[in-house]
Amino acid sequence: MSKNFVKTYFRLTLPAIIAQLVVYVVDNLNVAILGTLSEKAISGYTIANQSYDIFLMLALGLSGGFHVYISQLYGNNERKKCNRVLQLGIVVCTIIGFLYSLSIFTFSESFIRIFVQDAERVSYGVRYLRIFAFSLMFYGMNLMLSGTYTIIGHAVVSMYSGMINCLVSLFFSYVLVFGKLGFKPMSVEGAATAILLGRVAEFIFLTVLMLRKDSTFKLFTRGEKLEKDVLARVLKTAGPLVINETCYAFAFFMIVRNLSHLDEQYISCYTVTNNCNKLFFVASYGLSPAVGRLIGRNLGRGKFEEARRGGNDILWMNFWVHLIFGAVMAALSRWIPGFFSLEGDIASVCTKMLISKALLGFFAGYSNAFYNIFRIGGSTRYIFLFDGLFSLVFPMGISFLVCFIFPLPFFWAYFCIDAMNILKTAICFHLYNKEVWINQLA
C-alpha cells in the first residue's frame, strides 16, 4: 500500500468508521445494560435479534442491488437516473419492511421458541421482540437512504444519522430500562423501545436532509424515467443478492438454533463475541465508501486498471487492520466478559470464544471485503456462490454435525463453525484473481 492510498482510505472511510463505531459501542452498552438484569436477558435479546439478522440480510440484498447502480451512475454523472433508482429502492424497502415487521410481531412467541424453551429466556425474548419488530421497517428505509450517501463517498451523512440513532437509543435505554427521569423501570421492553425511537429519529433526520433545496438526492421529486432495460437490470442485480442474503441469513439462523440446542446457557457468549468482533474490527467493516469511490467509480468510467489497484490495496488494508486489532482483542479477552456481567463458567467460555474470533478474524474480514468488491462490480452470482450457497453447505452443515451427530463442547462447536471462513477466503481469492468482478454496468 502507498501512503497516498492509506490517506485516501481513511479520508473516505473515517466518517463511516466513526458511524459504525458509535453503533457498535452503543450495541455493547445496551447488552451490558441487559446483563445487569440477568444473563438470561442477554440470551432473550440474542434470540430476538435473530429476527433482525434475517431482515438485515434481506435489506442488504434489496438495497445492495440499487446501490450498485447508484454508485456507477453517479460516477458516470447520470444524477437524475440515480435519483429514480433511489426512489424505487425506498418504495421496495418500505413495503418489504412493513410486511416483515408485522409478521414478526404476530408470531413473536413462536419465533422465540424455535431457539429456547427455558421459560424465563422465552419471556425476555417475547417481551423484547413485540416492540423491537416495528423498528425493522425503519431500519430498512434508513439503510437504503444512508447507504446511498455512503456509496457515493458522502459517508459523513451516514455518520451523523447513525450518531443520532445511537445517542437517542442509548439515552432512552438507560432511562427506560432503569426507570430514570420519572419513568417506571421497563426492563427489556425499555431496551426495545429505545431502539425503535433511535431508528425513528434517524429516519426523520435523513428525510429532512433530502427535503433541502441543495440536497444531492430528491426523495419526493419526480425525475427522469428509467428505461425499461435499466429497471430490469437493476432488479436482475438485486434479485441474486436477495436470494444470497436470504440463504446466508437462514444458514446463521439455523446455526444459532443448533448452538441453542447444544447448550442454551452459553448463547449470551455468542452475542458478546460477535458484538466485540464488530467493535474491534470496525475499520475493516466500514470500507464501503472506499470501495464505492476507488472501485465503483473507476468501473463506471471503464478505468479497470485503477479498479484493480484499488481492490488490491483494500485487501492489504484489511490484513493490517485485523492483525493489529485482533491482537488487542485477544489481549483484552480476559476482562471483557465481566463488563457484560458474565461470571463463572459462562465468562470462561466467552473468553475462549473471543480469542478464537480474534485469531480467525482475518478470514471473516476478507469475506466482508470480497463481498463489497464483488457487489460493486455487479458479480452477484459469484457472491451467491461464495456467500449464500457456501453458508448453507459448510457452516450450517458443520453446525448440524457438531451439535447433533457428534456433539462437542459449546466452544469447540463454535470454533469449528467459525473456521469455515478459512475455506471461504480461499474460494474468494480464486474468484478475485480471475477478475470476474471487473464489470462496467453504467
Side-chain angles (χ1 to χ4, degrees), residues 362-429:
F362 279 106
F363 306 103
Y366 274 126
S367 298
N368 178 64
F370 284 124
Y371 176 91
N372 280 277
I373 291 172
F374 279 66
R375 187 184 71 167
I376 209 67
S379 301
T380 51
R381 68 178 185 274
Y382 290 103
I383 290 178
F384 174 70
L385 174 65
F386 71 73
D387 199 47
L389 181 61
F390 180 91
S391 298
L392 288 174
V393 175
F394 290 98
M396 190 179 79
I398 289 295
S399 74
F400 277 108
L401 288 176
V402 298
C403 294
F404 289 93
I405 310 301
F406 307 106
L408 297 177
F410 192 92
F411 164 71
W412 287 110
Y414 175 84
F415 179 85
C416 290
I417 296 166
D418 209 32
M420 290 298 100
N421 279 315
I422 299 174
L423 176 59
K424 183 177 180 179
T425 300
I427 295 172
C428 289
F429 264 115

Side-chain angles (χ1 to χ4, degrees), residues 276-289:
C276 288
N277 172 68
K278 294 174 184 177
L279 179 63
F280 280 93
F281 299 133
V282 65
S284 172
Y285 288 104
L287 55 75
S288 183

Side-chain angles (χ1 to χ4, degrees), residues 37-49:
L37 300 176
S38 167
E39 168 271 320
K40 292 185 177 182
I42 298 180
S43 295
Y45 165 87
T46 302
I47 300 308
N49 253 22

Side-chain angles (χ1 to χ4, degrees), residues 69-83 152 224 296-297 300-301 442:
Y69 280 86
I70 289 172
S71 173
Q72 294 205 18
L73 288 169
Y74 188 87
N76 209 32
N77 293 316
E78 298 185 66
R79 305 300 170 82
K80 291 183 178 180
K81 287 185 179 180
C82 276
N83 202 59
I152 66 169
E224 181 180 334
R297 283 196 180 186
R301 294 167 181 170

Side-chain angles (χ1 to χ4, degrees), residues 11-12 66-79 82-83 86 144-158 210 215-217 288-294 296-297 301 375-376:
R11 177 174 59 82
L12 293 172
F66 295 102
H67 287 156
V68 167
Y69 280 86
I70 289 172
S71 173
Q72 294 205 18
L73 288 169
Y74 188 87
N76 209 32
N77 293 316
E78 298 185 66
R79 305 300 170 82
C82 276
N83 202 59
L86 172 61
M144 187 68 223
L145 292 170
S146 64
T148 295
Y149 281 103
T150 299
I151 207 71
I152 66 169
H154 296 175
V156 67
V157 173
S158 299
M210 289 193 172
S215 174
T216 304
F217 297 100
S288 183
V291 172
R293 178 69 69 85
L294 300 174
R297 283 196 180 186
R301 294 167 181 170
R375 187 184 71 167
I376 209 67

Side-chain angles (χ1 to χ4, degrees), residues 282-318:
V282 65
S284 172
Y285 288 104
L287 55 75
S288 183
V291 172
R293 178 69 69 85
L294 300 174
I295 298 178
R297 283 196 180 186
N298 285 323
L299 290 176
R301 294 167 181 170
K303 297 182 178 180
F304 299 140
E305 188 55 41
E306 287 85 346
R308 289 187 187 94
R309 284 200 298 269
N312 292 339
D313 286 340
I314 284 170
L315 292 178
W316 271 111
M317 177 60 71
N318 178 82

